[in-house]
Amino acid sequence: MHIQTAAVQTLRDFEHGAVVPSVHMASTFELDPATDDGVYAYQRGSNPTRAQLETVLSALDGARHGFAFASGMAATAAALSVLEVGDEVILPASVYGGTYRFVDLVLPKRGATARFVDDLGALTDADFTPATRAVFIETPANPTLRITDLRALVELAHRHGALVIVDNTFMTPVLQKPLALGADIVVQSATKYLAGHSDLLAGAVTVDDDGLADALRLAQKAEGGVLSPADSFRLIQAVKTLPLRLERQQANALAIVDFLRGCEDVAQVHYPGSHSEEEARVHASQASGTGAVVSFELAPELDRIAFLQALRYPAYAVSLGGVESLICRPATMTHEAMTPQARANAGISDELLRLSLGIEHAADLVADLEQALAAAR
């Protein structure tokens, strides 16, 4: 089944001939007094509507197990809950600011440590120690959009008994399937492309391994960061249009990249594969598109604030993946938890802007950028 079909047709046979699933809001479920058994018992452990969403998430990723959480960070925290006292996780220096905050401030209190490296692609056997339990990766990276070879990293990490955790938020299962490339755990901020309308907070984790699934199921039940039935239903419905939305968003991103690359007012433009021919080759081998996020820096003589204030369509706001275009300044918004030195190491300058393309008409977006650049001169 193609992913466009799976997004719509994974769930079937609803009650009363309905063509959409019911929303089961119950927090508790009646059990058999003779055995204390039941398919469901308490909403935190499981719920029919959340279970249906998790079936969809699994189908999209081609995974055996899927888990829905109350936010992308709840999903990331659950994935990192596999770490034990004394374990180490390796992460890229450019990792999302929320993940950086968690591994910098929370993880050490649980007895685990994080090690940041400038380039995961440069890792060798010498970088792994007996304590290295996992490697956490974003490809494309946020917000530099640098690419890492997933197959090569998986082979290296697995040789040392380390798990590979991939944040696939930027690509989604439509464009990249890390589990098929050997990754062990895939996390997504479902708030972004999966939900797609900037009105829903959610996270997703998918795995194939039964043992990892048990650990994630425990994280749901013990820590309680699960997605509500109402939001689970809304996410089921939103996912149905994910492939269509992303197709339009990618087309817009390509148009914007063409415009920015030809613009003298723009000093640098970043998109997946733009750093080098090798990164472009690697990305093409493991993903089926470039996604809909670009980042860029204005020429030094332009007024960044005037540019942002003049924009009519992209809202100056955090997040990405919605039907509306958004623009942000990572240094002070998405990655503000990082120290200035950490941002510098990650290639995140104070002038870098990240643009998430929506589904507006490309010509209108280009015209808006043109007039905002004129205002900034």
Side-chain angles (χ1 to χ4, degrees), residues 93-355:
S94 61
V95 74
Y96 166 58
T99 303
Y100 179 93
R101 181 187 296 112
F102 180 83
V103 300
D104 184 50
L105 300 178
V106 178
L107 205 59
K109 297 178 181 179
R110 300 183 179 183
T113 58
R115 174 157 50 101
F116 296 95
V117 298
D118 293 340
D119 183 6
L120 287 179
L123 287 178
T124 67
D125 291 301
D127 293 301
F128 287 77
T129 74
T132 306
R133 168 67 170 147
V135 179
F136 189 101
I137 179 175
E138 299 169 350
T139 183
N142 178 16
T144 62
L145 304 173
R146 293 290 303 274
I147 301 301
T148 300
D149 189 329
L150 277 174
R151 293 182 183 88
L153 184 63
V154 165
E155 194 277 331
L156 175 63
H158 286 179
R159 192 159 65 239
H160 293 273
L163 300 171
V164 174
I165 306 171
V166 180
D167 184 335
N168 201 38
T169 299
F170 274 34
M171 288 288 98
T172 81
V174 175
L175 301 178
Q176 185 169 263
K177 287 185 165 59
L179 292 177
L181 299 172
D184 301 287
I185 303 175
V186 175
V187 301
Q188 291 181 82
S189 173
T191 306
K192 311 302 194 293
Y193 288 102
L194 298 191
H197 294 80
S198 302
D199 62 356
L200 173 61
L201 204 64
V205 183
T206 50
V207 297
D208 280 333
D209 183 81
D210 293 343
L212 290 174
D214 288 341
L216 289 162
R217 200 169 288 113
L218 175 62
Q220 280 189 321
K221 191 169 185 178
E223 298 180 12
V226 296
L227 195 62
S228 73
D231 285 342
S232 294
F233 170 79
R234 293 176 62 208
L235 189 52
I236 290 170
Q237 296 301 95
V239 161
K240 293 178 180 180
T241 60
L242 168 64
L244 285 173
R245 288 186 276 108
L246 195 52
E247 181 178 345
R248 177 60 174 266
Q249 288 166 306
Q250 277 203 109
N252 281 347
L254 291 173
I256 295 303
V257 165
D258 285 344
F259 167 73
L260 293 175
R261 290 181 65 188
C263 185
E264 294 182 354
D265 292 323
V266 177
Q268 290 186 332
V269 184
H270 307 281
Y271 53 90
S274 63
H275 182 76
S276 68
E277 291 185 4
E278 174 62 15
E279 288 196 12
R281 182 195 65 77
V282 169
H283 185 70
S285 74
Q286 63 191 24
S288 58
T290 55
V293 176
V294 302
S295 59
F296 61 96
E297 295 183 27
L298 300 179
E301 63 272 17
L302 266 66
D303 186 329
R304 169 174 42 81
I305 294 176
F307 169 77
L308 293 168
Q309 288 176 335
L311 287 171
R312 299 190 182 104
Y313 299 131
Y316 186 58
V318 297
S319 199
L320 56 97
V323 293
E324 62 286 304
S325 295
L326 299 174
I327 192 167
C328 74
R329 183 187 178 205
T332 55
M333 298 168 77
T334 60
H335 289 68
E336 85 286 356
M338 300 172 71
T339 65
Q341 185 58 55
R343 287 195 297 272
N345 292 343
I348 303 171
S349 74
D350 288 345
E351 297 305 312
L352 186 69
L353 299 174
R354 189 189 73 188
L355 176 60

